[in-house]
Amino acid sequence: MISLPGLNLSSQPAQAQSVPAEAVTRTQDLAANTEYRFEVGFSRTLTVKLQSGTAELFGTELAPSTTYSFTGTNGAIFTWHGCKLDVGGDVESDYVAEETPMMSFANLHFALENLRDRSIASGSTEMGPRVLIVGPDNSGKTSLVKTLTAYAVKTDRQPMVVNLDPRQGMLSVPGSFSAAAFSSIVDMEEGWGSSSITGPSPVPVKMPLVYHYGLKDPEEGRTFKSLVTRMALAVTSRLEEDKPSKQAGFIIDSSGAISQGKNGVYDSIEHIVSEFSVNVLITLGSERLYSDLSRKFNARTTDPSESVSVLRLDKSGGCVARSEDYMRSLRHAQIKEYFFGRGDEPLAPSSQTADVADLHVFRIVEPDPSGSYTTVDEYGISVEKPLFEPVKVDERMQNQILAITTAGPKDSQDVIRDASVRGYIYVASVDEARRKVKLLSPLPGGTLDTALVVGSWPEPVEGLVG
Amino acid sequence: MSLPAAAAEVAADFRDALQDLRMNSRPEISNLTLIAKENTEYAEAISTELEKHIRSTRPEWKLPALYVLDSIVKNVGTPYTVYIGRNLYRTFMDGYLVMDQTTRKNMEGLLKTWKMPVPESMDPRPVFPTEVTQDIENALAKFRAAQQQVQRPQHALPPRPPSLNVAWKGTSTPPQNAPRYVAPNDPRARPAYPPTPQQGPSAHAPTPPPAYHQPQQQAPPMSSVDLADLKTEVTQLIGATQNIFAQNPTDAALRMKLSALLSLKQVLDTQTLPPQQLEAVRQQVRALAPPPAPTPTLAPSTPVYPPQHAMPPGYPPQFPPMSAPPNLAQLLPGFRPPMQPTPQPAPAPTPSALNLAELLKRVSSPAHTNAAPVPAPYQPPFQGLPPPISTPVPVVQAPPPAATPPVNLAALLAQFNKPGAAPSMPSTPTQSAPFPQLPPQATTTAPALGSAEWLLRALSSVPNGTPANGTPIASQPMARQPSAPVNLMEQIELTTVSMKKPRLHLVSRLYEAKPNICATCGRRFESTPEGKEKKARHMDWHFKVKDPDAAKRGVSRSWYIPEKEWIEYREVDETAPNQSNDPSSTTGATKLKKQTKDRYVSVPQDVTLQQVPCPICQEKFETQWNVEANDFVWMDALNVGGKVYHATCFEEYSKGAGIEMPGTPDSVLGKRKAELGTNGEGKKIRAY
C-alpha cells in the first residue's frame, strides 16, 4: 500500500460566490442579560470581537483580544454584564433578544455545583451529578450541554460529556457516539473542539472515546442499546478512578428521536437513565415529555439514592428549526473537518490505495421496509438477520466513511458491535476492474486489517477529495 | 512545459540570482531560499546549480553561497539535504581549501551547526546525517594536523578586509532561529552578536560580549581555551538535551534541565568566572554529559576557533538578527518580536550579591517569568528561560561571592546527574542552604521552586517523592478549590420552579470570582498568587503550542484512543505545576508510550542498511551514542522481522492493526525510563 500524504487533495471548500464584506465591522451594543443571535450559513463568515464588557457563547467566555469567526453556525452571544461587540462579515440573520433562558441554565449549573461539592465532601465516594438532557429536535439540547460544560470548566471542574445523538458528532463525525472529559475550554468556533492531532493545537484538544453507530435514528438500529450499555460501562469505569471527572459527573446529550415516545413509552430514555444511573433528567421544551417522564421517574422514589430529578427548562426563543440542507452541510463540514481540520489549522490527511481484498468491511444490516429484522431461510423458518454482513467494497460505497474499529475481521458480531473506533477513512474512489480502492486516511501509516464498519449514516459525502 | 525543461528554467533563474550574490546579504539569501522552497520539485537541479556555483565562483564569494546552502537546508530541509548531502564533502572541502583563515572559521561554524538539529525544530535529527558531516570533520582534522606541522598557512591568500567579514558574520544561518534563540542569551550581546548558538559557544569565547551597559565587564578571562572548551561541552550537552526534549516536549524535568543548562551557558557567556569555579562547573557538566561519541576530530577543531573572536567586538550590526525576511516571519508567528524585550533598566531589583545559584533558581522559576514586561508573546519557549532583560545578570559581582556560587551551581547541576555518576562536588546538606529565600509566589503545593528538592522531584518520576507541602492534588483542580464551601453555598433545589428564580448574584462566581482573564482564550484565573501562577503556566502553554513548524511538518488527526486506554487516560491541565503529580494519573498505557520512544536498535553494520528509512514514515533514523548499549544506536527504533521501524510509527500501526507490540528485548529499558524521569504522559496522545 502506498501512502502519499497530501496527494490529489484539494482542501478548498465549495465556497459560494458570496463576497464577505471583510473590512466593514459595526459595533453591536448589548444590554445586560440580552443576547445577540445569529445564523451564519456555510458560505458566509461572521466575525465577532469583544470590545468591552463580558460576553459568552454557550457559556464559554469571549476572550478580549481574540476575533472569532463563525461559519455554518447558529449561535447566541449572551452577556450578563452588558458589552460592546465588533461584528463583521455577513450573516443570514441576526438580532438581539432580551428574553433568554440563560438564568435557568445558570441556576441549573449552580444546582449541579451543589451536587459536585457534595461529591467532594463525600471524599469522592459519591459520584457527581449524572445529567441527561432530552427534548425534541431543535430544542437547544446541545446548546444547553455546551453551556453547562463551559460553566463547569470555568468553575475548574472536569465534566464528562457523552454524545448519544448520531445526527451530529461531538469531537467526531456524525453517526458516532462519543464521550470525553472536558478540562479545558470548549472551542467556540468549532462547536466542541478538536480531538487529538499529531501536533500542538491552540485550543487544547480533547480525547474522545468513540463508538460507531452508523444509522440516523437511535430507535431504528439494533445496536443502540448495546452501545449505550457499552458506553456507560466505559464511562463509569473511568470515573471510578478519575476523581476530578467523578466529582464533576457527566452530561449526556441525546437525539431528539428518543424523546418522541411511542404511546408514552420512552424506552431509550429509560435505558440511558438506568445504564448511566442518571439522577438529573432535564427536558427541554416539550410539556408532554416532561409530564410523562416526571410521572415515570417520580414513581420510583423509594430509594433516595436512586431518585431521578426531572426538570423542565424552557426552550430558548433562539432555537430555530434547522433545515435538512443545513444539517447535511453541518455533517459534511464535520466530516471534512475530521480529515482536513479547519481553515487556519489545516490537517494533512493521507491518500492511500488498497486492494479491495484487503479491506474487511461490515455493513450494518438495516430493517426491511416493514421495520423487521427477520428473514426467511431456505427451510422456510424465519430467522433474525445478523447485525452485520461482510461486504466487499464496491462503487456504491464510494464517498462513504468507514469506521476503523478495534475489532478483528474474524471477531464475532457482538465484538464488532461493541468495539470502539480508532478513526475513520473515506472511500475516495473504487476501481472495480482493478480491484483497487483509493482511500483518505486521517494520517499516514494507518492499517486497515481490522473490521471496518459502514452504515447508511452519515450519508455519502461527495467531493471530499477532488 | 516538460519537467526537465521547467527544471532547467528554474535552475537557470536560481543560477542568475546566485551569481548576483557577492556578499552576505540577508535579503538575497532569503530570496534564494524562497526560490528553493517554492521549487522543491526541482530540488535536484537547484542543488546541482548551487554546488556548481560554490565550486566555481571566486573564493570570496563562496561563503555567501555557502550561507545560501545553509539557509536552504535549514529552512527547507528535505529533499535538499539529500541532494546537497551527496556532494557536501566535495562542496565543502573544495571551498575550504581555498579560503583564508577567517572564512574557514566561518565555514567550521557552519559545519558545526549542521551536526545539530535545526534550532527550534521538533525534529531532533541533525541538519545533515552524521556520516556526511563526519567525513568532513575527519578531513578537517587531518588538514589541521598537517597545517600545524608546517607551522605556516598553506594558502597565501591575503586576509580579507575586516569589513567583509563583518558583513558575513551576522548570518551564519540566516533568519529562522534568530529571535528565539538570541533572546535567551545575553541580550546585551545581541546588537553586535549574531545568533550564534548553532555556531558553537566558542564564538563568544575569550572576549566577553561587548558590554553595552556594563563596560567594566571586560575583565580578562582566566583561561580562554578552557572556557571555550567548557562552553563547547555545555553546548553539546544542550544539543543532546534538546534532542531528548524534542522527543518529549512535555517532559517538565527535561525542560528544567534544559533551561538550567541554557542559563548556565548564558552565565558562561556573560560572566567571567575564576578558574576554580570553571573547573567545578566543568566537572558537573562532564558528569552530566553522556560519554562523548568517539569523534576524535572534534577536539583538535576547537582550539582553532579563537581567531574568530579576535574580531573587534561591537562593529555596527549590519544585519540585525531579528529582521527575518517576511516569508520566514510568517512561518514563525509565535516568535517574540525582536526588540520588545529591550527596556534595559531591569525592573527587577538587582541585588548586587546575586549569585549564580540565585540566577539559576530564578531562571527555573516560572513565577518569575511572569514578571516579564513582555505582554504580547507571553513567554519564551522554555518556560524556565528568563525574560532576557529582567534577569539582572550579575556580571561584575560574580567574582566576589567567590566560593559559594560555584558550589551552588555545581550542586544544582548535580541534581540532574545520573545516579550512577558520582557527583564530585558537595553533598546534599549544603544544597538547601543557598535556597531558603524563595520567590514569594511560590506558595504552591510544589516544593520550593528552585530548591534541590524541587529539582529532584522534577527529575524523579516517583510521584510520591518529597511531599514537601504534602498536597498531592495538583492535578485535581476540583478537589483543590471547590467553588465555595458546601455549607455556604446556597442550596438550589433541583426543581423546575427553582430554575426560574433569578439569582444574578451567583453569576459573580463565574466572573468576578476570577478577575484575571487570559486575553487569548478567555480562561479566567483567581487573583491569588496561586491563580497568578496558574495563569503564568497557562500563558506558557499558549506560547508553547504556537508551533511555527506545525504547518511544515504536516499535522494530522490522530487515531482515537481505544477503550482501555481511554478509561485510563487522565486529562492534563496545562496550569498544573508538574503535569503529573498525581500518581494515579500515571497510567500503564502512557508508561508504555514512554517506553516506546526509548526503544532502540544498534545501527546496522552494513552501510546500505544504514541508509534504509523507516518503512512507515520513510524518514531516516537518528543515530545516537547510547550509554547503555555502549554502541551507536537508532533511538525510537524497533526491529520487526528484520526490518527496522520507528518504534512510535510501528506502535501507531500496530495499534490500528491490533497487533501486539513485540516484547521489549532487554530489561535495560526499564532502568532507562526511571532515570529519564518519566512524567507519565503519552506523547502522541497527549492532549494539548
Side-chain angles (χ1 to χ4, degrees):
Chain A
M1 182 186 297
I2 52 159
S3 161
L4 300 169
L7 195 74
N8 287 339
L9 304 175
S10 84
S11 57
Q12 275 86 32
Q15 280 287 354
Q17 60 283 5
S18 81
V19 184
E22 276 297 331
V24 188
T25 61
R26 61 193 174 82
T27 304
Q28 174 76 56
D29 273 302
L30 285 185
N33 300 314
T34 61
E35 68 187 17
Y36 169 71
R37 293 177 183 158
F38 56 87
E39 290 174 41
V40 190
F42 283 90
S43 56
R44 306 174 189 225
T45 302
L46 169 75
T47 61
V48 176
K49 184 170 185 291
L50 181 65
Q51 204 182 78
S52 62
T54 67
E56 55 186 48
L57 177 88
F58 300 138
T60 304
E61 198 175 340
L62 270 68
S65 66
T66 302
T67 303
Y68 297 93
S69 59
F70 302 96
T71 294
T73 313
N74 298 346
I77 294 176
F78 177 82
T79 175
W80 291 104
H81 306 97
C83 69
K84 269 189 184 19
L85 301 173
D86 284 338
V87 178
D90 176 26
V91 296
E92 254 83 46
S93 76
D94 60 345
Y95 62 98
V96 174
E98 293 187 352
E99 227 164 88
T100 76
M102 286 306 288
M103 192 66 240
S104 58
F105 286 14
N107 279 330
L108 176 56
H109 162 73
F110 292 115
L112 297 179
E113 281 297 295
N114 287 343
L115 296 177
R116 290 172 185 143
D117 285 337
R118 200 188 299 161
S119 164
I120 293 171
S122 77
S124 302
T125 51
E126 239 178 85
M127 201 183 275
R130 286 91 63 196
V131 185
L132 168 64
I133 295 174
V134 297
D137 282 334
N138 301 316
S139 56
K141 293 184 294 298
T142 306
S143 302
L144 173 58
V145 175
K146 272 187 196 164
T147 308
L148 292 176
T149 309
Y151 282 168
V153 168
K154 212 167 173 176
T155 321
D156 283 339
R157 310 288 187 186
Q158 188 187 295
M160 185 78 73
V161 180
V162 180
N163 174 39
L164 297 177
D165 182 0
R167 308 253 179 134
Q168 46 183 313
M170 178 193 78
L171 303 170
S172 186
V173 301
S176 66
F177 293 158
S178 54
F182 281 75
S183 64
S184 50
I185 55 159
V186 179
D187 191 304
M188 220 173 288
E189 296 160 322
E190 211 168 353
W192 280 106
S194 164
S195 68
S196 66
I197 54 179
T198 59
S201 153
V203 171
V205 295
K206 318 291 188 270
M207 302 296 287
L209 171 66
V210 181
Y211 298 96
H212 191 62
Y213 177 63
L215 298 173
K216 181 181 179 186
D217 188 338
E219 315 260 74
E220 73 180 300
R222 287 172 292 174
T223 58
F224 180 77
K225 283 189 180 174
S226 329
L227 284 180
V228 167
T229 305
R230 186 77 186 185
M231 178 72 94
L233 198 67
V235 169
T236 0
S237 309
R238 163 133 178 204
L239 294 198
E240 269 323 305
E241 298 298 324
D242 189 351
K243 287 221 175 73
S245 288
K246 184 174 185 184
Q247 291 157 356
F250 51 76
I251 306 165
I252 306 172
D253 194 3
S254 70
S255 162
I258 65 169
S259 298
Q260 281 162 1
K262 291 175 184 128
N263 310 317
V265 177
Y266 300 90
D267 207 19
S268 299
I269 292 180
E270 281 189 71
H271 183 70
I272 296 172
V273 168
S274 75
E275 292 295 317
F276 281 91
S277 309
V278 167
N279 64 350
V280 180
L281 178 54
I282 310 291
T283 62
L284 266 170
S286 169
E287 296 271 7
R288 188 177 62 93
L289 180 66
Y290 170 63
S291 151
D292 285 353
L293 291 177
S294 49
R295 198 177 315 133
K296 187 171 302 286
F297 290 103
N298 286 342
R300 298 183 179 175
T301 47
T302 45
D303 182 354
S305 70
E306 284 182 14
S307 73
V308 180
S309 310
V310 185
L311 280 74
R312 177 179 169 274
L313 296 188
D314 286 332
K315 167 179 163 175
S316 163
C319 295
V320 291
R322 292 169 293 180
S323 68
E324 195 33 54
D325 275 352
Y326 174 87
M327 290 306 285
R328 196 182 304 117
S329 304
L330 183 68
R331 290 192 293 270
H332 192 132
Q334 280 192 338
I335 293 170
K336 183 161 170 285
E337 190 177 301
Y338 173 75
F339 290 102
F340 292 98
R342 270 187 308 162
D344 50 341
E345 293 137 32
L347 299 179
S350 135
S351 186
Q352 320 187 333
T353 307
D355 285 333
V356 168
D358 290 344
L359 299 179
H360 311 284
V361 181
F362 294 83
R363 179 180 286 285
I364 299 167
V365 175
E366 294 191 42
D368 54 33
S370 66
S372 155
Y373 277 105
T374 54
T375 180
V376 177
D377 67 10
E378 65 260 44
Y379 304 109
I381 302 163
S382 74
V383 290
E384 190 175 346
K385 288 187 199 161
L387 295 173
F388 304 97
E389 54 182 1
V391 289
K392 283 294 163 205
V393 177
D394 56 28
E395 273 169 7
R396 284 171 300 167
M397 229 177 265
Q398 197 156 322
N399 297 335
Q400 280 206 303
I401 59 169
L402 314 179
I404 306 173
T405 66
T406 49
K410 297 210 164 60
D411 281 334
S412 74
Q413 302 244 321
D414 287 358
V415 172
I416 295 174
R417 176 195 63 196
D418 290 344
S420 73
V421 171
R422 300 304 317 280
Y424 289 89
I425 48 173
Y426 173 78
V427 182
S429 64
V430 182
D431 185 341
E432 283 191 357
R434 292 176 50 232
R435 306 192 58 71
K436 293 274 185 201
V437 195
K438 219 172 110 197
L439 301 166
L440 186 68
S441 164
L443 72 169
T447 174
L448 300 170
D449 36 10
T450 58
L452 308 174
V453 173
V454 63
S456 60
W457 191 260
E459 70 275 81
V461 175
E462 278 172 32
L464 197 59
V465 180
Chain B
M1 189 189 297
S2 70
L3 199 76
E9 185 162 306
V10 170
D13 281 352
F14 190 78
R15 183 172 55 230
D16 291 345
L18 257 184
Q19 273 160 3
D20 293 338
L21 183 74
R22 301 278 161 94
M23 55 179 280
N24 192 3
S25 148
R26 181 177 292 267
E28 283 181 51
I29 290 177
S30 12
N31 186 30
L32 283 158
T33 310
L34 194 64
I35 296 180
K37 187 182 185 117
E38 285 169 355
N39 294 288
T40 42
E41 59 268 48
Y42 310 123
E44 186 160 19
I46 290 176
S47 305
T48 316
E49 213 51 63
L50 183 56
E51 283 166 356
K52 257 198 289 185
H53 175 81
I54 294 174
R55 267 205 297 278
S56 58
T57 193
R58 287 167 55 178
E60 63 266 36
W61 298 342
K62 282 185 202 293
L63 187 65
L66 278 165
Y67 284 144
V68 173
L69 183 153
D70 180 68
S71 171
I72 290 176
V73 294
K74 283 180 186 152
N75 289 305
V76 190
T78 51
Y80 287 98
T81 39
V82 178
Y83 292 124
I84 293 176
R86 289 191 303 207
N87 290 328
L88 187 67
Y89 178 83
R90 209 181 139 202
T91 314
F92 190 92
M93 289 313 294
D94 284 359
Y96 189 85
L97 291 176
V98 297
M99 297 285 191
D100 67 282
Q101 210 54 33
T102 321
T103 318
R104 281 184 190 160
K105 294 297 163 286
N106 285 327
M107 289 183 71
E108 283 162 15
L110 277 181
L111 178 62
K112 206 161 196 172
T113 69
W114 293 342
K115 291 186 291 188
M116 297 181 214
V118 178
E120 282 321 307
S121 160
M122 298 299 280
D123 187 343
R125 286 169 301 175
V127 177
F128 282 112
T130 347
E131 322 64 280
V132 175
T133 42
Q134 192 57 48
D135 286 348
I136 301 178
E137 282 284 355
N138 292 340
L140 291 187
K142 273 186 210 147
F143 175 75
R144 279 191 212 105
Q147 210 180 17
Q148 271 167 10
Q149 284 175 359
V150 181
Q151 284 295 328
R152 61 174 175 80
Q154 288 186 329
H155 299 278
L157 279 177
R160 195 141 307 104
S163 61
L164 268 178
N165 291 333
V166 172
W168 297 344
K169 172 111 168 114
T171 34
S172 79
T173 294
Q176 88 277 31
N177 41 28
R180 255 196 180 175
Y181 256 79
V182 166
N185 280 326
D186 183 6
R188 293 152 308 135
R190 195 192 306 127
Y193 267 69
T196 30
Q198 352 85 321
Q199 200 160 335
S202 45
H204 288 286
T207 352
Y212 277 14
H213 300 272
Q214 272 145 327
Q216 68 273 57
Q217 192 198 346
Q218 305 281 8
M222 301 311 289
S223 151
S224 57
V225 178
D226 273 7
L227 186 59
D229 282 355
L230 180 57
K231 286 180 182 177
T232 315
E233 281 175 41
V234 172
T235 312
Q236 281 166 353
L237 191 53
I238 290 176
T241 315
Q242 271 170 344
N243 281 356
I244 306 174
F245 184 68
Q247 291 165 8
N248 309 308
T250 51
D251 190 324
L254 270 177
R255 185 172 56 208
M256 224 88 75
K257 175 175 172 180
L258 192 53
S259 55
L261 283 171
L262 285 171
S263 52
L264 171 61
K265 180 166 179 293
Q266 182 189 354
V267 170
L268 288 176
D269 283 348
T270 52
Q271 299 187 32
T272 317
L273 300 179
Q276 71 271 23
Q277 294 187 13
L278 283 178
E279 189 51 38
V281 171
R282 176 202 301 278
Q283 285 186 11
Q284 290 310 316
V285 171
R286 291 239 165 106
L288 264 176
T295 41
T297 50
L298 258 178
S301 77
T302 356
V304 199
Y305 277 86
Q308 187 183 357
H309 334 111
M311 279 183 285
Y315 19 68
Q318 292 194 333
F319 301 103
M322 275 71 239
S323 57
N327 59 322
L328 288 158
Q330 283 160 9
L331 276 177
L332 315 169
F335 278 175
R336 173 195 298 271
M339 284 320 181
Q340 204 152 3
T342 334
Q344 193 60 29
T350 314
S352 57
L354 200 57
N355 60 24
L356 283 182
E358 275 176 9
L359 184 65
L360 277 179
K361 183 173 71 187
R362 203 174 244 287
V363 141
S364 35
S365 147
H368 177 72
T369 34
N370 194 27
V374 187
Y378 306 115
Q379 298 281 316
F382 305 113
Q383 78 173 38
L385 292 182
I389 294 317
S390 68
T391 307
V393 185
V395 192
V396 203
Q397 290 84 355
T404 41
V407 172
N408 296 345
L409 176 60
L412 195 57
L413 285 170
Q415 301 309 310
F416 296 125
N417 205 349
K418 290 183 181 171
S424 56
M425 285 306 279
S427 51
T428 2
T430 50
Q431 286 163 8
S432 50
F435 304 107
Q437 350 76 312
L438 296 163
Q441 298 97 316
T443 53
T444 31
T445 57
L449 287 171
S451 70
E453 210 179 358
W454 169 75
L455 284 169
L456 266 177
R457 186 158 134 163
L459 278 179
S460 80
S461 59
V462 189
N464 277 333
T466 50
N469 300 350
T471 344
I473 44 169
S475 62
Q476 300 175 23
M478 324 295 127
R480 195 168 51 228
Q481 28 175 242
S483 53
V486 178
N487 47 355
L488 293 180
M489 183 95 176
E490 181 183 350
Q491 291 298 321
I492 301 173
E493 267 185 287
L494 263 173
T495 61
T496 303
V497 179
S498 160
M499 291 299 117
K500 294 189 171 153
K501 280 189 205 156
R503 295 185 183 85
L504 280 171
H505 59 283
L506 287 181
V507 173
S508 67
R509 287 192 198 149
L510 295 173
Y511 284 87
E512 286 84 352
K514 298 180 165 189
N516 198 349
I517 186 168
C518 164
T520 309
C521 71
R523 181 166 176 170
R524 282 179 176 269
F525 299 89
E526 289 170 355
S527 62
T528 58
E530 190 184 313
K532 281 190 184 126
E533 208 165 278
K534 281 175 127 187
K535 191 179 178 195
R537 283 187 288 259
H538 175 77
M539 292 309 188
D540 262 357
W541 173 86
H542 269 304
F543 189 88
K544 214 164 54 184
V545 299
K546 273 192 203 160
D547 181 358
D549 292 333
K552 210 165 37 169
R553 277 182 295 127
V555 175
S556 305
R557 171 91 49 211
S558 302
W559 300 117
Y560 301 129
I561 48 179
E563 205 171 65
K564 187 167 180 299
E565 232 172 272
W566 182 83
I567 289 171
E568 287 166 354
Y569 180 79
R570 296 295 172 266
E571 296 299 317
V572 184
D573 184 355
E574 77 274 2
T575 65
N578 179 350
Q579 301 192 333
S580 68
N581 282 352
D582 183 0
S584 69
S585 74
T586 318
T587 67
T590 51
K591 269 182 186 155
L592 183 80
K593 293 273 182 185
K594 189 75 181 181
Q595 203 173 323
T596 307
K597 294 193 76 74
D598 288 344
R599 291 183 172 216
Y600 58 84
V601 298
S602 294
V603 176
Q605 297 299 317
D606 187 82
V607 187
T608 48
L609 281 182
Q610 285 174 8
Q611 301 299 324
V612 176
C614 166
I616 295 176
C617 69
Q618 297 298 328
E619 286 183 30
K620 286 199 178 170
F621 293 92
E622 168 207 354
T623 306
Q624 274 184 11
W625 178 258
N626 186 290
V627 192
E628 312 278 359
N630 197 28
D631 196 355
F632 280 109
V633 298
W634 287 341
M635 288 311 291
D636 182 22
L638 189 64
N639 190 327
V640 182
K643 277 190 179 172
V644 183
Y645 300 83
H646 279 125
T648 37
C649 291
F650 191 82
E651 186 190 36
E652 198 84 81
Y653 165 86
S654 61
K655 258 191 300 182
I659 303 171
E660 279 287 313
M661 283 285 280
T664 308
D666 51 18
S667 60
V668 157
L669 292 176
K671 224 168 81 198
R672 229 186 108 76
K673 190 179 59 188
E675 283 170 8
L676 275 179
T678 318
N679 67 348
E681 289 147 19
K683 299 312 167 210
K684 284 259 163 114
I685 61 159
R686 214 181 85 76
Y688 269 101

